[in-house]
């Protein structure tokens, strides 16, 4: 009897919560949320349901743990070179993020504007890490939206907010603007990354023969043919739609928001002219 108990304990220890979450992420990536069942999970892990329930109570907890694990990995990765240089010609895929730069120079200084350790570079790296994680894991955008709207006290929301907020603080932003500035960046990053992932998912449903360049060219041509009286602006930027790079456009949005944040007046100061990025 004691031998059987020891064997049961060894099986439980071998099947860690981390391994269960890893298998859940794999199932979510291949089969989506509907494919993540405890039956499928136990089959993948070659174990019984009792061993899984020992670590995870239900599917909701499992989804939360999977979301948190992917986000934590995205925020812990080393910053990509493209985050420092402002992007690359590659389509939306590759990333990095960095740990907070607590002692960065004030906004507007040489170190703040362009060094590899600047808060701006850290924010770009965090943004790219989340951008790529959401693209790599098609289920992640929905789970993030769910957690941010229903479970702000869980780990994911504070983890993202802390990662961005520390860098906002390092930019010497007035404390009264910390929440607004961090919220603006968080909403932009998750919204734009989620839309990019939705576009990629939609393109996959069109079949392997659909070429992105041809798709954008067709859309651009359609914009150019809109009524000039009703759509003068849309017609004017139609050619930019044709040749845009999703990753570079995403980072350009980050830089626009950062320019506004660093221009915020400090107590006793007038509004600054946004620095060049």
């Amino acid at each position: 009897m004691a031998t059987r108990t020891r064997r049961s304990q060894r099986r439980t220890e071998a099947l860690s919560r981390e391994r269960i979450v890893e298998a859940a992420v794999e199932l979510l990536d291949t089969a989506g949320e509907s494919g993540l069942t405890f039956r499928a999970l136990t089959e993948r892990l070659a174990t019984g349901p009792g061993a899984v329930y020992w670590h995870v109570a239900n599917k909701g907890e499992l989804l939360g743990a999977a979301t948190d694990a992917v986000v934590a990995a995205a925020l812990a990765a080393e910053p990509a070179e493209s985050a420092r240089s402002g992007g690359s010609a590659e389509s939306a895929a590759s990333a990095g993020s960095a740990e907070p730069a607590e002692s960065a120079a004030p906004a507007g200084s040489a170190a703040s504007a362009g060094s590899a350790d600047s808060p701006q570079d850290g924010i770009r790296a965090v943004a790219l890490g989340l951008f790529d994680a959401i693209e790599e894991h098609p289920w992640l955008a929905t789970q993030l939206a769910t957690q941010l709207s229903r479970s702000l006290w869980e780990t994911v929301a504070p983890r993202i907010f802390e990662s961005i907020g520390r860098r906002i603080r390092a930019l010497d932003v007035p404390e009264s603007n910390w929440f607004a500035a961090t919220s603006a960046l968080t909403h932009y990053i998750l919204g734009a990354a989620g839309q990019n992932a939705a576009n990629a998912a939609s393109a996959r449903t069109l079949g392997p023969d659909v070429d992105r360049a041809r798709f954008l060219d067709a859309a651009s041509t359609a914009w150019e043919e809109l009524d000039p009286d009703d759509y003068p602006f849309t017609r004017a930027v139609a050619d930019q739609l044709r040749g845009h790079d999703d990753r570079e456009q995403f980072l350009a949005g980050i830089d626009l928001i950062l320019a506004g944040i660093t221009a915020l007046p400090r107590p006793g100061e007038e509004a600054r002219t946004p620095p060049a990025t």
Side-chain angles (χ1 to χ4, degrees):
M1 192 67 159
T3 301
R4 184 179 301 175
T5 301
R6 286 195 296 271
R7 288 175 180 173
S8 176
Q9 289 174 342
R10 283 198 296 270
R11 284 199 300 269
T12 302
E13 291 168 0
L15 183 61
S16 66
R17 180 181 172 90
E18 290 73 19
R19 177 66 191 111
I20 292 171
V21 171
E22 180 185 338
V25 170
E26 293 168 357
L27 275 172
L28 286 164
D29 288 347
T30 57
E33 183 178 341
S34 63
L36 178 61
T37 65
F38 274 73
R39 172 178 288 184
L41 190 60
T42 55
E43 289 177 355
R44 179 175 286 265
L45 293 168
T47 188
V52 175
Y53 281 115
W54 177 270
H55 295 281
V56 183
N58 51 53
K59 183 174 178 177
E61 182 181 339
L62 188 58
L63 283 168
T67 301
D68 186 55
V70 171
V71 169
L75 297 178
E78 290 298 321
E81 184 63 31
S82 58
R84 303 188 186 118
S85 62
S88 70
E90 298 175 353
S91 60
S94 82
S97 63
E99 288 304 306
E102 293 285 3
S103 58
S109 71
S112 173
S115 78
D117 297 325
S118 73
Q120 287 97 327
D121 284 333
I123 288 170
R124 294 184 190 103
V126 167
L128 285 174
L130 291 170
F131 182 93
D132 291 331
I134 290 171
E135 182 177 59
E136 182 180 353
H137 306 282
W139 52 272
L140 183 59
T142 300
Q143 288 304 314
L144 283 172
T146 299
Q147 290 208 27
L148 293 176
S149 63
R150 299 180 185 175
S151 307
L152 282 176
W153 52 88
E154 298 292 346
T155 308
V156 171
R159 192 187 296 280
I160 294 173
F161 217 70
E162 182 71 19
S163 187
I164 297 172
R166 288 190 187 187
R167 292 166 171 87
I168 290 295
R169 184 173 62 185
L171 279 172
D172 197 29
V173 173
E175 184 173 353
S176 59
N177 295 120
W178 285 358
F179 180 76
T182 304
S183 295
L185 276 165
T186 300
H187 287 308
Y188 171 78
I189 291 169
L190 298 183
Q195 185 60 57
N196 177 75
N199 292 344
S202 178
R204 285 192 292 269
T205 65
L206 298 176
D209 296 331
V210 176
D211 179 81
R212 179 180 183 275
R214 291 182 180 178
F215 177 84
L216 290 179
D217 183 68
S220 179
T221 300
W223 282 17
E224 291 169 342
E225 294 173 352
L226 291 170
D227 188 307
D229 294 328
D230 293 338
Y231 301 97
F233 175 81
T234 304
R235 284 168 53 92
V237 299
D239 192 56
Q240 296 178 39
L241 169 67
R242 178 180 285 112
H244 86 278
D245 178 88
D246 294 331
R247 191 182 183 83
E248 291 178 354
Q249 184 183 36
F250 175 73
L251 283 173
I254 294 291
D255 287 342
L256 286 171
I257 297 173
L258 285 175
I261 289 172
T262 54
L264 290 168
R266 276 59 179 168
E269 295 181 353
E270 295 183 356
R272 302 180 181 184
T273 301
T277 57

